[in-house]
Amino acid sequence: KHEAIETDIAAYEERVLAVVAVARELETENYHDIKRIAARKDNVLRLWEYLLELLKARRQRLEMNLGLQRVFQEMLYIMDWMDEMKVIRDRVAHMEFCYQELTQLAVERRARLEESRRLWKFFWEMAEEEGWIREKEQILSSDDCGKDLTGAVRLLSQHRALEDEMSGRAGHLQHTVREGQAMADAGHFGEDKIRERIADVQAQWAALEQLAAVRKKRLEEACSLHQFQADADDVDTWTLDALRIVSTADVGHDEFSTQALVKKHKDASAEVASYRSVIDALHEQAQSLPPEQVQAANVNERLAGIEERYKEVSELSRLRKQALQDALALYKMFSEADACEHWIDEKELWLNSMEIPEKLEDLEVIQHRFESLEPEMNNQASRVAVVNQIARQLIHSGHPSEKDIKAQQDKLNTRWSQFRDLVDQKKESLNSALGVQNYHLDCNETKSWIREKTKVIESTQELGNDLTGVMALQRKLTGMERDLAAIEAKLGDLRGEAERLAGEHPDQAKAITGRLAEITAVWEEMKETLRNREASLGEASKLQQFLRELDDFQSWLSRTQTAIASEDMPNTLAEAEKLLAQHEGIKNEINNYEEDYQKMRDMGEMVTQGQTDAQYMFLRQRLQALDTGWNELHKMWENRQNLLSQSHAYQIFLRDTKQAEAFLNNQEYVLAHTEMPTTLEGAEAAIKKQEDFMTTMDANEDKINGVVEAGRRLASDGNINADRIQEKAASIDDRHKKNREAAVELLMRLKDNRDLQKFLQDCQELSLWINEKMLTAQDMSYDEARNLHSKWLKHQAFMAELQSNKEWLDKIEKEGKQLVSEKPETEAVVKEKLAALQKMWTKLETTTQTKAQCLFDANKAELFTQSCADLDKWLVGLEGQIQSDDYGKDLTSMLENQVEVRQREVEELQSQAHVLRQEGKDTDEVDGRRKEVELKFKELLEPLQKRKDFLMASREIHQFNRDMEDEILWVEERMPLATSTDHGHNLQTVQLLIKKNQTLQKEIQGHQPRCDDIFERSQSILKADSPNVEAIQVRLSDLQQLWSLIIQETEKRHARLEEAHKAQQYYFDAAEAEAWMSEQELYMMSEEKAKDEQSSVAMLKKHQILEQAVEDYAETVHQLSKTSRGLVAANHPESERIGMRQSQVDKLYAGLKDLSEERRGKLEERFRLFQLNREVDDLEQWIAEREVVAGSHELGQDYEHVTREFARHTDAATVAEWKDGLNEAWADLLELIDTRTQILAASYELHKFYHDAKEILGRILDKHKKLPEELGRDQNTVETLQRMHTTFEHDIQALGTQVRQLQEDAVRLQSAYAGDKADDIQRREGEVLEAWRSLLEACEGRRTRLLDTGDKFRFFSMVRDLMLWMEDVIRLIETQEKPRDVSSVELLMNNHQGIKAEIDARNDSFTACIELGKSLLARKHYASEEVGIVRRMTEEDGVEGEMNGVPERSSKEPSPIPSPSADRWGRGSQSATLPAKGQETASAQLEGLLHRKHEWEGHNKKASSRSWHNVYCAINNHEMGFYKDNKSAAQGVPYHSEIPVSLKDAVCEVAVDYKKKKHVFKLRVTDGNEYLFQAKDDVSLLLSSELIQHDTPASSHAHTLPATVTLTTESSPGKREKDKEKRFSLFSKKKQ
């Protein structure tokens, strides 16, 4: 019975756990009355534990009683045995034997009982497991999957908790099963039942796991569905918002507003385009849903709606974009047009008011205005062209304001044409007047020129016979020849100009010719003077030339020394570089003068050698001074070079110091403006910010140290600014160290502030708690005696709570004292807070004591009695707890020791009893109850102490478990960081990750002692034989594995981060190299050109410096290459990327060197050009000097003088030779330039031909691809396609013109080239011509196919009309009633004759239709087979129509030919394929078996299953239903639950484009579904498609094939029935 009670109570454990779980969930959700919930939960747990303790105590008592009764029974047996021993002593031996046997039997029975006990314990545990399994099966069998996403997620979380519980129970179940297996294997007497029970429970457990898996799958699918619905709702909301935005009709009222709208719409369009990924993700989410949920939740319809709305949004966005662009273009066009018209108005006003003046100055002013007008007109012409282009585009796009645009365009073009005509007219008048004035001006200038030259010739008579005079005369006469040739050419031009102007201005012809005559007379006079003064002179003295060159060289030397001796010092790095470049240019100039200096020295020595004259001695002194100046120049250059180099290094140091000082200033600013936060959260954030700041300081430390080291190195090298450099470096170093110390100090102060804020927050929380409790303590609502005891108990609990929370105050005081001892500066704040807290706590205790005294005074006796009862009750409960073996399941569940509180209550009972005695209220009874309670309390003290020891041991175990779990949790929390694969994407992040990993390693090292302590404590716990040894060992092994794993992972991550650091360092260096090279490339690509020789020399020197820097940078590139090769050789994970990056760097460096060489070549070429210019100038000067000598008329004063002059003149032949050589070289150069120009022109034409051929070929192939293959579904579409094809042919006519031009270019180029070039040209031409012929053939073929398709559809239309007419006629003939008298017979005959006449009238239509079909067959039409079938059917129907039209048939004779309509609808003929079912099938118009394939489910969605299936089809009331067979059709059971297809507005046609099967027709309905059906043969194909099409309400407009209902002309009834069955079968006949 007791075991049954235990089983019943154990079943309630789940309910208790459920209550606890609900309470925890309410606590996590911050339920407003959580305190009452927690109290109720604690009460339930206390009662539950008390019940378990009672149950256990009762079991122990029962077991003890059972043992006692067994002892009593054994004692009775022994007493009886002793009595018998007294009686029968002679049977002692026999009794001893029996006793031994009894002992043996007892042992065997004990063993059997032990086995039985194990068996029933096994059965009890298995029964408990079965009960738990059944309970969970009920939970898992629930169909509730949540009504929304929150509910589904909550149920899934509960299910995961259940799975965790199952995994926990699985171990216990396996342990029980192993025990059962062990008993069965040991041959237990209940082996069969054990095995059977094990199998049963394992089967139930497997079913439970399967059920759990099924429910988990359902819950996950429900979550996915609800998530899809939520995402779809979000998409719908976004779509509606987007529709509202893009559907607005506002396009702005001017250009500015429209541009603003365009910008907004651009953002909206980008958002619409980016939202495509969201919808695609929604599609992928829908694809992951199960099919049943997709169908049940209408997911496809939802997606289709979303897609449709998104397409609508996209289309509206596109339309709005077009509308905004059109509006913007319109406003721009109007704005530009108005601006152009305004400009035209201004200029027309000026032109109309302008008059042509007569003075040349006024004409030049007006001409200058016209010259400035031309660029303005060009600008305005481009604006007018833009307006016309915009207008054409708007008109072509069909703008709604097309008429206004056209009017504005025409108006502007008209005004522009009129303005251009006016300008041309005014310009022509101005040019004419300018021509006359310029002619007169040229005449005056030419006349003055001639007279000036005459005066120059005459002035030569005054020149003396000295060297200077002779050289001046020669220069004048030599230059005179060039001037005479120029004057003579000018006279020729003036004669032609005079003739033209005389013809244009007859009124001024006399004055024009008179001026020309004056000039001619002056010209003749000058020539006569020149002939009289012409003579030849000798060469100038070499000595004079040497002295002149010496003067020039000394002047250059003086200038250069002055430039080098400049005291200018650079103040910036750019100035230092500029001065260095200039100084290097001076060095090159000195080197260039080295050769001249040597020649001058040699010439001077030759001239002064052996001469003693004073002048020659003076010349020798000048030469010595020249040598001294030349040597001093070199020394001065070296000194200046050293000085500038040191200044350049100093400026570089200053640049780096500025950057370092910027870093330091930023650091000082941050350190000076960091305030102490006043909250704990702010303190934590400030510490994090400071740590990041210090990380940045570490990153900048290398740069600052580099600046300091560079400064010290410059100072040690003896720089001219060594003192300043040393001072600057020391200042930066000191500031850096101070910033580092300040940062560390600030971090410590922030941490101190964090501790202070934490203390203040704890004080604040305690103050709030005290204030809250003060309100409770001040509640004095106890005036009524009702529930006074409950208030007393609550107050006692309140006092106990205060006493237990006194530790909180003590803890805060302890923390405050520790804070003051560690940080004395916080003493004032801490003491103030502690004093306030102590004061509040004292006030709370005083108020509580006062309230307790008041409650006690209100009803002392009742409170005393109730207090005694409560203590007695608590003591009874405490006795049960003392006897309990439950020492808690974890550290938090251990019982609190309340003895001290109860002891104070006992002491209070003494005071209460004393008060009652003073009042004289039943003193004996009061003392008796008090003493009884005190006695019980004292008796429980010793058992309580023993239980305390046991609890302490249990607490140690649980404390150990908690510490171990904390360490495992700590390791698991940091394991993701240790195993992270995030290695950073740049150098800074990698460095930060390395520091984080190092911090993690330090944390692991710091936690190592704690783990060691846990392992040491585990040894003592394992030796103490704890009941949970196996679990502790398992968790210890888990901790050891995790600890080893995290150490390994951190080391691996450190290695990976080191590799990433190397790679990122390489990337950083490579990026810097690329940036430097890109910067140099910008300079290399500069188009700046030198303006003179000096600037070209400077630029060349500067480029040489830069080129040397590029050459020096090769070491950096080589180092990068070495690093990359090392990383690749070490199999770095990013080896491929590193290799690619290095190749980019190498390629960039090679390109930079190429650019450098190219720019150097350009600069050298420019320099040589200026050298040539200088040499030409020198040559001209030398020639001018020689002209003076050669033109001199000095003939010598005596023989010696003449001899010297003649010797000087003998170099004329040499000069002439130089001149001829120079002319020949110039002619050769011109010839080479002309040849190069012709070659480049030919190459241009060849490559242009290649480009044109490639472009034309691409356009031809593009046109060929754009040629559609569709031939149309009916006559209208064919006509539309024919019009489109005509437009296409018109478009390619322009392409034909280009092809012909290409042929002409090819012929011209082939004649100019030979060999491979000619073959290549011919091949390119052949490719284009072949593609062009192919395009033309394709166009011609498509035109022919379109014409054939039009004829086919025209033929089918004629056939359809005739067949419909025949059906009507046949129906009219067959529906005539039988005549009853002669008059009715005559009436019928007349009607029949009218029908016959209508038949005769239709004979031409039949003939035309048949002829058209024959013509199609004769020209082998691509649809000849269909045309042939239809033509034969048409002819047969025509014959049959004639047979039906014969009026001689007797009225009594039944017609042998049944009605085609009756046959077709399945009600008239039993020989048709459709079976006759009487009244049951009267509603079905058509039915039978067909081969069906579902092609499309919607307008843009293919069917999910596109296989061929045999279905039984039935058409009824314009709907086609599909069934498995005729039985299913009769029962109304659709095929795969498909709904009938509506034939309203459906289209049925022969599937001519389907080639995989024969006799296939197509049915397309309005909802987008499309089906393919296969008939038995051609006749059945056409009949079936026509019958289905005829059943649609819009058949007269939709179908494209004729309704082919035919009858045979043969007389055999059997044959006729067979043919009718063949023709009128809607579907293939079903096999019986």
Side-chain angles (χ1 to χ4, degrees), residues 1540-1551:
V1541 176
S1542 175
L1543 298 179
K1544 183 179 180 180
D1545 297 331
V1547 177
C1548 183
E1549 58 187 5
V1550 176

Side-chain angles (χ1 to χ4, degrees), residues 253-426:
H253 56 278
D254 56 7
E255 183 178 356
F256 179 79
S257 60
T258 306
Q259 285 179 347
L261 291 175
V262 167
K263 185 177 181 181
K264 292 181 180 178
H265 185 73
K266 184 178 180 181
D267 297 337
S269 300
E271 184 181 0
V272 171
S274 64
Y275 213 78
R276 177 73 256 179
S277 60
V278 178
I279 297 179
D280 294 338
L282 196 63
H283 278 283
E284 295 176 358
Q285 192 174 352
Q287 291 176 359
S288 63
L289 294 176
E292 57 271 15
Q293 285 190 353
V294 172
Q295 295 178 0
N298 296 326
V299 173
N300 291 329
E301 290 77 6
R302 189 75 181 272
L303 288 174
I306 289 173
E307 283 289 342
E308 184 176 358
R309 285 190 292 274
Y310 181 78
K311 290 180 180 177
E312 183 180 0
V313 169
S314 302
E315 184 64 19
L316 287 174
S317 176
R318 185 186 63 79
L319 294 176
R320 176 161 176 77
K321 179 181 179 181
Q322 185 63 37
L324 289 172
Q325 289 178 349
D326 291 344
L328 183 62
L330 179 64
Y331 291 133
K332 283 185 177 180
M333 191 205 76
F334 284 156
S335 176
E336 291 290 331
D338 293 338
C340 292
E341 289 181 358
H342 180 69
W343 184 86
I344 291 172
D345 291 336
E346 291 180 355
K347 298 306 177 182
E348 280 184 349
L349 181 64
W350 172 65
L351 290 174
N352 291 327
S353 62
M354 183 184 70
E355 295 182 358
I356 304 300
E358 296 180 357
K359 293 184 179 181
L360 180 61
E361 293 80 7
D362 298 335
L363 287 173
E364 288 178 349
V365 171
I366 296 177
Q367 184 184 21
H368 179 69
R369 291 184 180 179
F370 266 92
E371 290 175 354
S372 62
L373 179 64
E374 286 183 358
E376 295 182 13
M377 287 184 65
N378 293 333
N379 294 334
Q380 295 299 323
S382 62
R383 297 180 69 177
V384 172
V386 170
V387 171
N388 287 327
Q389 182 180 3
I390 296 174
R392 286 194 297 271
Q393 291 176 355
L394 293 175
I395 294 173
H396 181 70
S397 61
H399 198 278
S401 303
E402 181 177 353
K403 293 183 179 180
D404 297 337
I405 295 171
K406 186 66 177 175
Q408 183 69 31
Q409 181 186 8
D410 295 338
K411 178 182 176 182
L412 179 62
N413 290 333
T414 303
R415 291 291 307 279
W416 180 250
S417 300
Q418 294 174 356
F419 176 75
R420 290 182 67 87
D421 295 337
L422 180 61
V423 170
D424 293 337
Q425 179 182 357
K426 292 293 184 180

Side-chain angles (χ1 to χ4, degrees), residues 356-360 363 426-440 501 504-505 508:
I356 304 300
E358 296 180 357
K359 293 184 179 181
L360 180 61
L363 287 173
K426 292 293 184 180
K427 188 182 292 184
E428 184 178 357
S429 301
L430 179 63
N431 290 335
S432 178
L434 275 173
V436 176
Q437 296 298 329
N438 288 332
Y439 171 76
H440 290 299
L501 292 176
E504 292 179 356
H505 301 277
Q508 301 181 16

